[in-house]
């Protein structure tokens, strides 16, 4: 499985911290959000979408088209319940919040 982290329009709420880095590069404790997801789901590949001005410093890496990709909002923390729900998703399914 590929894990693909993406940013949404709420990235600006983390300014000035996210002016020079992606949301998934923010630290919460000792680990970044990206590292927390990596340890929680142990994907084959961990990719990200980034804003254009950050793509040279933080290369996104395109997902492989022949593999499933689990898209997760980069600002979400991997809580045990959320990780379990993400693991149980089938292709084409999504977890949505109001």
């Amino acid at each position: 499985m590929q894990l693909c982290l993406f940013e949404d329009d709420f990235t600006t709420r983390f300014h000035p911290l996210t002016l020079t880095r992606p949301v998934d590069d923010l630290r919460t404790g000792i680990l970044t959000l990206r590292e927390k997801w990596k340890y929680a789901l142990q994907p084959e590949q961990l990719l990200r979408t980034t804003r254009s001005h950050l793509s040279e410093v933080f290369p996104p890496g395109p997902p492989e088209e022949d593999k499933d990709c689990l898209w997760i909002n980069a600002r979400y923390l991997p809580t045990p319940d959320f990780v379990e729900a993400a693991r149980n998703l089938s292709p084409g399914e999504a977890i949505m919040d109001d």
Side-chain angles (χ1 to χ4, degrees):
M1 168 192 49
Q2 300 177 92
L3 178 59
C4 303
L5 299 173
F6 68 92
E7 295 180 327
D8 61 10
D9 294 336
F10 294 108
T11 299
T12 57
R13 292 185 179 183
F14 295 93
H15 283 176
L17 300 173
T18 57
L19 290 172
T20 58
R21 68 184 65 240
V23 171
D24 65 76
D25 199 51
L26 296 177
R27 290 197 178 276
T28 56
I30 196 167
L31 300 174
T32 64
L33 291 169
R34 180 181 173 90
E35 291 168 335
K36 287 179 183 276
W37 279 110
K38 180 180 177 182
Y39 291 120
L41 292 176
Q42 300 176 353
E44 294 173 21
Q45 259 186 314
L46 183 55
L47 308 164
R48 64 163 59 112
T49 61
T50 57
R51 288 161 277 146
S52 59
H53 71 279
L54 297 176
S55 62
E56 289 184 29
V57 179
F58 298 93
E64 294 180 30
E65 292 187 24
D66 60 335
K67 291 184 180 179
D68 290 333
C69 188
L70 177 60
W71 290 91
I72 294 181
N73 190 315
R75 61 187 172 88
Y76 289 178
L77 286 169
T79 64
D81 289 340
F82 188 31
V83 169
E84 185 63 28
R87 282 191 178 134
N88 292 326
L89 287 174
S90 298
E93 289 185 327
I95 300 170
M96 306 213 33
D97 187 25
D98 294 336

